[in-house]
């Protein structure tokens, strides 16, 4: 998608070329030739470097980043403490020790368990978010068989949910178009409506129970309910009462409650873990992305009895607890604490939502809802005056914003514009970004 070029210069944004940059076209053509088509689609910003809340290309353009990569750079891009920790660990002598014990890995497991609320007592380090959710699925089914036999294998997830792109994670996901490649039905994975106040306006827990009944699911056959702590594609939190009822239901039917925090934890919502907003206990929690603000690392945190279900030697992954990723994670935790970034995310919430609500008031017929918490927000784009998602306008807005120097990810399915800057963003940068977003909406609306 090409957008009209007009130069931009503010303290946080500088655009001096059309996007895509004409000089960069050969790189984009090589990308198209050597990488899968599926990797294209995002605005063609060729990142050269990133620092704090800014992203730079090699052609003189600078963006204000409202993506944190893809909810990764919570501490800010290239934080010097994290960079130095990575360099020091590499200088120590590049070490690949598989799952032989290492002091640094065990130190991290200990710190993660200390951060996590009870009864989460053990940590299994992995590499990607999907690996963590797959592992939670495996633990849930194994535990179900142990306590209820083979019948107790059903995993409940939510419509529109995303848990990763590997087979088990996609079976658990709630976006039908992402699952069509599987080619068969996915027995044992059942989706129920997410109480988001917009598509699903009945917020009572009855909807959950009725949905199971209408799909012929026996409660006793359920081994786990896996829920994103906030619905990632809608940026929606379930009502606290609903989650309390869900916790009670899981306890009553001996089903595990699993929170997928891959994008929600490490301060994003103003708490270390987003499920802490609900004041309930979790049986398993999956984290990734913002856990290092940089390198690939994920973790499953869980009750000791669940994490100890498998025999010695039967839970491993080649890069589990790679020392360099672990060093990045320890440094990230240190930065989040020392710079009070989690409190800062909570403090920025009213500022972010004030400007977003103003924008929503100005464009009331195409912004159906503003939702979120801390430093994650979603604008639901709708066809004028309806609740019907409008992916086209959402896409145009994202591309126009990028041309105005504001980096936003492609809209989340079906048409949510997601906002999730690094947690070190300032009031001035939020206000500057809001100006760009408002301009982008007006440009996109006129062009549609
Ligand atoms: N779970 C959630 C809620 C996610 O948002 C994602 C990624 O976007 C994943 C799981 C998968 O993580 P990864 O891409 O690291 O495999």
């Amino acid at each position: 998608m090409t957008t009209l070029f007009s130069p931009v210069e503010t303290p946080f944004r500088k655009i001096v070329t059309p996007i895509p940059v004409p000089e960069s076209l050969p790189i984009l053509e090589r990308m198209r030739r050597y990488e899968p088509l599926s990797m294209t689609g995002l605005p063609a910003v060729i990142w050269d470097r990133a620092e704090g809340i800014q992203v730079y290309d090699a052609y003189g353009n600078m963006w204000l980043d409202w993506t944190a990569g893809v909810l990764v750079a919570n501490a800010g891009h290239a934080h010097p403490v994290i960079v130095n920790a990575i360099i020091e660990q590499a200088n120590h002598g590049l070490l690949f020790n598989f799952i032989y014990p290492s002091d640094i890995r065990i130190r991290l497991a200990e710190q993660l368990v200390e951060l996590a609320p009870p009864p989460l007592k053990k940590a299994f380090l992995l590499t990607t978010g999907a690996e963590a959710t797959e592992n939670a699925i495996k633990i849930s089914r194994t535990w179900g068989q142990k306590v209820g036999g083979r019948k107790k294998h059903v995993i409940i997830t939510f419509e529109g949910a995303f848990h990763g792109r590997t087979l088990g994670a996609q079976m658990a996901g709630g976006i039908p178009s992402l699952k069509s490649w599987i080619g068969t039905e996915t027995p044992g994975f059942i989706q129920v409506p997410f109480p988001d106040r917009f598509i699903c306006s009945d917020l009572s827990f009855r909807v959950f129970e009725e949905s199971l009944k209408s799909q012929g699911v026996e409660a006793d056959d359920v081994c786990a309910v896996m829920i994103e702590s906030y619905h990632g594609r809608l940026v929606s939190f379930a009502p606290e009462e609903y989650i309390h009822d869900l916790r009670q239901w899981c306890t009553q039917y001996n089903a595990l409650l699993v929170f997928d925090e891959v994008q929600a934890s490490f301060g994003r919502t103003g708490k270390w873990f987003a499920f802490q907003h609900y004041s309930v206990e979790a049986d398993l929690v999956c984290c990734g992305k913002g856990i290092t603000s940089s390198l690939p690392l994920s973790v499953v945190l869980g009750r000791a009895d669940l994490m100890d279900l498998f025999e010695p030697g039967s839970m491993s992954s080649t890069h589990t607890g790679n020392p360099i990723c672990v060093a990045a994670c320890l440094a990230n935790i240190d930065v989040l604490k020392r710079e009070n970034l989690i409190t800062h995310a909570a403090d920025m919430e009213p500022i972010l939502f004030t400007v977003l609500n103003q924008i929503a008031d100005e464009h009331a017929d195409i912004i159906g809802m503003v939702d979120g918490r801390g430093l994650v927000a979603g604008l639901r784009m709708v066809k004028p005056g309806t609740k019907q998602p409008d992916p086209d306008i959402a896409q145009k807005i994202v591309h126009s914003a990028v041309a105005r120097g504001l980096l936003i990810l492609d809209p989340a399915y079906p048409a949510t514009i997601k906002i999730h800057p690094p947690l070190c963003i300032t009031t001035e940068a939020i206000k500057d970004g809001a100006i760009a977003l408002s301009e982008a909406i007006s440009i996109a609306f006129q062009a549609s």
Side-chain angles (χ1 to χ4, degrees), residues 332-397:
N332 183 45
I333 293 172
D334 188 38
V335 170
L336 294 174
K337 282 184 182 168
R338 262 201 281 165
E339 297 185 8
N340 290 317
L341 287 178
I342 296 177
T343 312
H344 181 70
D347 291 345
M348 288 293 105
E349 177 183 311
I351 294 155
L352 177 64
F353 284 88
T354 300
V355 296
L356 294 180
N357 283 321
Q358 274 163 5
I359 292 175
D361 287 345
E362 285 160 22
H363 303 277
D365 54 339
I366 56 166
I367 300 179
M369 189 178 192
V370 179
D371 212 345
R373 216 158 186 170
L375 280 173
V376 60
L379 305 182
R380 306 266 195 105
M381 305 312 299
V382 291
K383 304 226 157 106
T386 71
K387 280 190 163 188
Q388 233 187 310
D390 190 343
D392 292 339
I393 191 86
Q395 185 83 6
K396 282 184 187 143
I397 292 168

Side-chain angles (χ1 to χ4, degrees), residues 70 128-131 133 162-165 228 260-263 289:
V70 53
T128 66
E131 226 188 336
T133 56
F162 184 76
H163 298 292
R165 290 196 188 269
E228 291 173 279
D260 178 351
E261 290 255 340
V262 168
Q263 66 168 265
K289 292 188 186 279

Side-chain angles (χ1 to χ4, degrees), residues 170-442:
Q170 296 235 290
M171 284 176 158
I175 304 171
S177 59
L178 294 189
K179 305 207 272 190
S180 55
W181 66 273
I182 297 171
T184 56
E185 290 298 303
T186 55
F189 289 94
I190 300 287
Q191 280 82 55
V192 298
F194 186 91
D196 74 327
R197 303 176 176 81
F198 190 68
I199 302 166
C200 174
S201 52
D202 184 346
L203 305 181
S204 70
F205 190 67
R206 220 183 35 236
V207 175
F208 178 96
E209 293 177 300
E210 281 169 4
S211 179
L212 293 197
K213 205 169 157 198
S214 70
Q215 298 184 71
V217 177
E218 292 288 338
D220 284 325
D221 295 348
V222 176
C223 65
V225 179
M226 179 156 73
I227 181 167
E228 291 173 279
S229 301
Y230 65 79
H231 193 293
R233 300 275 159 136
L234 305 174
V235 194
S236 176
F237 280 77
E240 202 174 321
E241 216 180 303
Y242 180 100
I243 299 293
H244 283 211
D245 290 347
L246 177 61
R247 172 68 269 178
Q248 213 176 1
W249 186 93
C250 286
T251 305
Q252 181 181 350
Y253 292 104
N254 218 2
L256 303 180
L257 180 54
V258 183
F259 284 99
D260 178 351
E261 290 255 340
V262 168
Q263 66 168 265
S265 53
F266 287 80
R268 173 58 51 199
T269 69
K271 291 195 187 279
W272 279 97
F273 301 92
F275 81 92
Q276 291 176 303
H277 287 288
Y278 300 120
S279 311
V280 293
E281 286 186 355
D283 299 306
L284 292 172
V285 170
C286 305
C287 305
K289 292 188 186 279
I291 192 169
T292 59
S293 291
S294 54
L295 299 182
L297 186 95
S298 61
V299 68
V300 181
L301 290 156
R303 281 176 10 204
D305 62 320
L306 300 173
M307 302 301 279
D308 286 340
L309 272 174
F310 298 97
E311 294 299 309
S314 56
M315 268 196 353
S316 68
S317 174
T318 298
H319 292 286
T320 292
N322 173 289
I324 293 185
C325 300
V326 167
C329 186
L330 285 166
N332 183 45
I333 293 172
D334 188 38
V335 170
L336 294 174
K337 282 184 182 168
R338 262 201 281 165
E339 297 185 8
N340 290 317
L341 287 178
I342 296 177
T343 312
H344 181 70
D347 291 345
M348 288 293 105
E349 177 183 311
I351 294 155
L352 177 64
F353 284 88
T354 300
V355 296
L356 294 180
N357 283 321
Q358 274 163 5
I359 292 175
D361 287 345
E362 285 160 22
H363 303 277
D365 54 339
I366 56 166
I367 300 179
M369 189 178 192
V370 179
D371 212 345
R373 216 158 186 170
L375 280 173
V376 60
L379 305 182
R380 306 266 195 105
M381 305 312 299
V382 291
K383 304 226 157 106
T386 71
K387 280 190 163 188
Q388 233 187 310
D390 190 343
D392 292 339
I393 191 86
Q395 185 83 6
K396 282 184 187 143
I397 292 168
V398 165
H399 283 258
S400 300
V402 170
R404 306 298 303 147
L406 177 66
L407 203 58
I408 309 182
L409 275 183
D410 246 23
Y413 170 89
T416 309
I417 293 185
K418 276 181 75 170
I419 293 153
H420 32 78
L423 306 185
C424 52
I425 195 164
T426 58
T427 303
E428 294 71 33
I430 289 176
K431 289 185 174 166
D432 182 73
I435 293 170
L437 178 60
S438 185
E439 287 168 359
I441 294 174
S442 301

